[in-house]
Amino acid sequence: MTPPALEKSGGWMVIVTTDSKGRVRAFPHEGRDQDAAFQNIERRNADASGLWMVHWEKGFTSEADAAARAREIERDVGAGKKTGNTPVN
């Protein structure tokens, strides 16, 4: 499946984060402001070691579409790799 364009007109986005151990997670989030979305995700999910946004994709038409893309990103990044050994560029 071809990844969606990074900028489309829908009201949902996917925010991809990493932590100090290199664990990558992707979150569906409503809205179009990636900075506000990341701050919200960071408040809910960061631990003492911190959380960093490494990628975002906007324009999904529904929460289900954004959630499906988030799962796809996590699967692609983590395929065949142990937690903590996933490089992030």
Side-chain angles (χ1 to χ4, degrees):
M1 180 169 130
T2 303
L6 295 180
E7 294 284 342
K8 298 188 298 186
S9 62
W12 283 84
M13 67 179 81
V14 174
I15 302 293
V16 183
T17 65
T18 189
D19 63 14
S20 64
K21 296 180 180 167
R23 293 177 294 214
V24 175
R25 294 180 63 195
F27 300 90
H29 199 281
E30 190 170 20
R32 298 205 33 89
D33 182 342
Q34 70 272 5
D35 294 324
F38 173 68
Q39 289 172 359
N40 190 353
I41 290 165
E42 187 177 34
R43 273 194 304 275
R44 291 188 318 232
N45 297 284
D47 59 18
S49 63
L51 198 63
W52 295 270
M53 179 169 53
V54 294
H55 179 73
W56 69 84
E57 294 181 12
K58 296 181 183 178
F60 297 93
T61 57
S62 69
E63 181 178 12
D65 290 342
R69 179 63 180 142
R71 285 189 303 273
E72 184 178 83
I73 290 169
E74 286 183 347
R75 186 173 51 246
D76 289 349
V77 170
K81 297 181 179 161
K82 295 179 182 176
T83 302
N85 293 336
T86 305
V88 176
N89 293 330

